[in-house]
Coordinates of all heavy atoms in Angstrom, one line a residue:
Q28 N 34.7 1.6 18.5 CA 34.2 2.7 17.6 C 35.3 3.4 16.9 O 35.1 4.2 16.0 CB 33.5 3.7 18.5 CG 32.3 3.2 19.2 CD 31.7 4.1 20.3 OE1 32.1 5.3 20.3 NE2 30.8 3.6 21.1
R29 N 36.6 3.1 17.3 CA 37.8 3.8 16.6 C 37.8 5.3 16.8 O 38.2 6.0 16.0 CB 37.9 3.3 15.2 CG 38.1 1.8 15.0 CD 38.4 1.5 13.6 NE 37.4 1.9 12.7 CZ 37.5 2.9 11.8 NH1 38.6 3.5 11.7 NH2 36.5 3.2 11.0
R30 N 37.2 5.7 17.9 CA 37.3 7.2 18.2 C 36.9 7.3 19.7 O 36.3 6.4 20.3 CB 36.3 8.0 17.4 CG 34.9 7.7 17.6 CD 34.0 8.6 16.7 NE 34.1 8.3 15.3 CZ 33.5 9.0 14.4 NH1 32.9 10.2 14.7 NH2 33.6 8.7 13.1
I31 N 37.3 8.4 20.3 CA 37.0 8.6 21.8 C 35.5 8.9 21.9 O 35.0 9.9 21.2 CB 37.8 9.7 22.3 CG1 39.3 9.5 22.1 CG2 37.6 9.9 23.8 CD1 39.9 8.2 22.5
P32 N 34.7 8.3 22.7 CA 33.3 8.6 22.9 C 33.1 10.0 23.3 O 33.9 10.6 24.1 CB 32.9 7.6 24.0 CG 33.8 6.4 23.9 CD 35.1 7.1 23.5
Q33 N 32.0 10.6 22.8 CA 31.8 12.0 23.0 C 31.6 12.3 24.5 O 32.0 13.4 25.0 CB 30.5 12.4 22.3 CG 30.2 13.9 22.4 CD 31.4 14.8 21.9 OE1 31.9 14.5 20.8 NE2 31.7 15.8 22.6
E34 N 31.1 11.4 25.3 CA 31.0 11.6 26.8 C 32.3 11.8 27.4 O 32.5 12.7 28.3 CB 30.3 10.4 27.4 CG 30.0 10.5 28.9 CD 29.3 9.3 29.5 OE1 28.9 8.5 28.7 OE2 29.2 9.3 30.7
V35 N 33.3 11.1 26.9 CA 34.7 11.3 27.5 C 35.3 12.7 27.0 O 35.9 13.4 27.8 CB 35.6 10.2 27.1 CG1 37.1 10.4 27.5 CG2 35.1 8.9 27.6
V36 N 35.1 13.0 25.7 CA 35.6 14.3 25.2 C 34.9 15.4 25.9 O 35.6 16.4 26.3 CB 35.2 14.4 23.7 CG1 35.6 15.8 23.2 CG2 36.0 13.3 22.9
T37 N 33.6 15.4 26.2 CA 32.9 16.4 26.9 C 33.5 16.6 28.3 O 33.7 17.7 28.8 CB 31.4 16.1 26.9 OG1 30.9 16.1 25.6 CG2 30.7 17.2 27.7
A38 N 33.7 15.5 29.0 CA 34.2 15.5 30.4 C 35.6 16.1 30.4 O 35.9 17.0 31.3 CB 34.2 14.1 31.0
L39 N 36.5 15.8 29.5 CA 37.8 16.4 29.4 C 37.7 17.9 29.1 O 38.5 18.7 29.7 CB 38.6 15.7 28.3 CG 39.0 14.2 28.6 CD1 39.6 13.6 27.4 CD2 40.0 14.1 29.8
E40 N 36.8 18.2 28.2 CA 36.7 19.6 27.9 C 36.2 20.4 29.1 O 36.7 21.5 29.4 CB 35.7 19.8 26.7 CG 35.5 21.2 26.3 CD 34.6 21.2 25.0 OE1 33.6 20.5 25.0 OE2 34.9 22.0 24.1
Q41 N 35.2 19.9 29.8 CA 34.6 20.6 31.0 C 35.7 20.8 32.1 O 35.6 21.7 32.9 CB 33.4 19.9 31.5 CG 32.2 20.0 30.5 CD 31.0 19.1 31.0 OE1 31.1 18.2 31.8 NE2 29.9 19.4 30.4
A42 N 36.6 19.8 32.1 CA 37.7 19.9 33.2 C 38.9 20.8 32.7 O 39.9 20.9 33.4 CB 38.2 18.5 33.5
D43 N 38.7 21.4 31.5 CA 39.8 22.2 30.9 C 41.1 21.5 30.6 O 42.2 22.1 30.6 CB 40.1 23.5 31.8 CG 38.9 24.5 31.8 OD1 38.3 24.6 30.7 OD2 38.7 25.1 32.8
L44 N 41.0 20.2 30.4 CA 42.2 19.4 30.2 C 42.7 19.4 28.8 O 43.8 18.9 28.5 CB 41.9 18.0 30.7 CG 41.7 17.9 32.2 CD1 41.3 16.5 32.6 CD2 43.0 18.3 33.0
F45 N 41.9 19.9 27.8 CA 42.5 20.1 26.5 C 43.2 21.4 26.4 O 43.8 21.7 25.4 CB 41.3 20.1 25.5 CG 40.8 18.8 25.1 CD1 39.4 18.5 25.4 CD2 41.5 17.8 24.6 CE1 38.9 17.3 25.1 CE2 41.0 16.6 24.3 CZ 39.7 16.3 24.5
R46 N 43.1 22.3 27.4 CA 43.7 23.6 27.4 C 44.9 23.8 28.3 O 45.3 24.9 28.6 CB 42.6 24.6 27.8 CG 41.3 24.5 26.9 CD 40.2 25.5 27.3 NE 40.6 26.8 27.0 CZ 40.6 27.4 25.8 NH1 40.2 26.7 24.7 NH2 40.9 28.6 25.6
L47 N 45.6 22.7 28.6 CA 46.7 22.8 29.6 C 47.8 23.7 29.1 O 48.4 24.4 29.9 CB 47.2 21.4 29.8 CG 46.2 20.4 30.5 CD1 46.8 19.0 30.5 CD2 45.9 20.9 31.9
A48 N 48.1 23.6 27.8 CA 49.3 24.3 27.3 C 49.0 25.6 26.6 O 49.9 26.2 26.0 CB 50.1 23.3 26.4
I49 N 47.8 26.0 26.7 CA 47.4 27.3 26.1 C 47.7 28.4 27.0 O 47.4 28.3 28.2 CB 45.9 27.3 25.7 CG1 45.7 26.2 24.7 CG2 45.5 28.7 25.1 CD1 44.2 26.0 24.4
P50 N 48.3 29.6 26.6 CA 48.6 30.7 27.5 C 47.3 31.2 28.2 O 46.2 31.1 27.6 CB 49.2 31.8 26.6 CG 49.7 31.0 25.4 CD 48.7 29.8 25.2
A51 N 47.4 31.8 29.3 CA 46.3 32.3 30.1 C 45.6 33.4 29.3 O 44.3 33.5 29.4 CB 46.8 32.8 31.4
E52 N 46.3 34.2 28.6 CA 45.7 35.3 27.9 C 44.8 34.8 26.7 O 44.0 35.6 26.2 CB 46.7 36.3 27.3 CG 47.8 35.7 26.5 CD 49.1 35.4 27.3 OE1 48.9 34.9 28.4 OE2 50.2 35.8 26.8
R53 N 44.9 33.5 26.4 CA 44.1 32.9 25.4 C 43.0 32.0 26.0 O 42.4 31.1 25.4 CB 44.9 32.1 24.4 CG 45.9 32.9 23.6 CD 45.3 33.9 22.7 NE 46.3 34.8 22.1 CZ 46.2 36.1 21.8 NH1 45.0 36.6 22.1 NH2 47.1 36.8 21.3
G54 N 42.9 32.1 27.3 CA 41.9 31.3 28.1 C 42.4 29.9 28.5 O 41.6 29.1 28.9
G55 N 43.7 29.7 28.4 CA 44.3 28.4 28.8 C 44.7 28.3 30.2 O 44.7 29.2 31.0
E56 N 45.3 27.1 30.5 CA 45.7 26.8 31.9 C 47.2 27.2 32.1 O 47.6 27.3 33.2 CB 45.5 25.3 32.2 CG 44.1 24.8 32.1 CD 43.3 25.4 33.3 OE1 43.5 25.0 34.4 OE2 42.4 26.3 33.0
A57 N 47.9 27.3 31.0 CA 49.3 27.7 31.1 C 50.2 27.0 32.1 O 50.9 27.5 32.9 CB 49.4 29.2 31.4

Side-chain angles (χ1 to χ4, degrees):
Q28 298 168 14
R29 298 186 302 110
R30 67 177 71 187
I31 308 304
Q33 186 56 45
E34 184 176 353
V35 175
V36 174
T37 299
L39 292 169
E40 183 175 40
Q41 291 175 344
D43 288 326
L44 293 171
F45 284 118
R46 305 179 67 78
L47 295 172
I49 299 172
E52 54 264 46
R53 303 292 175 215
E56 299 291 289

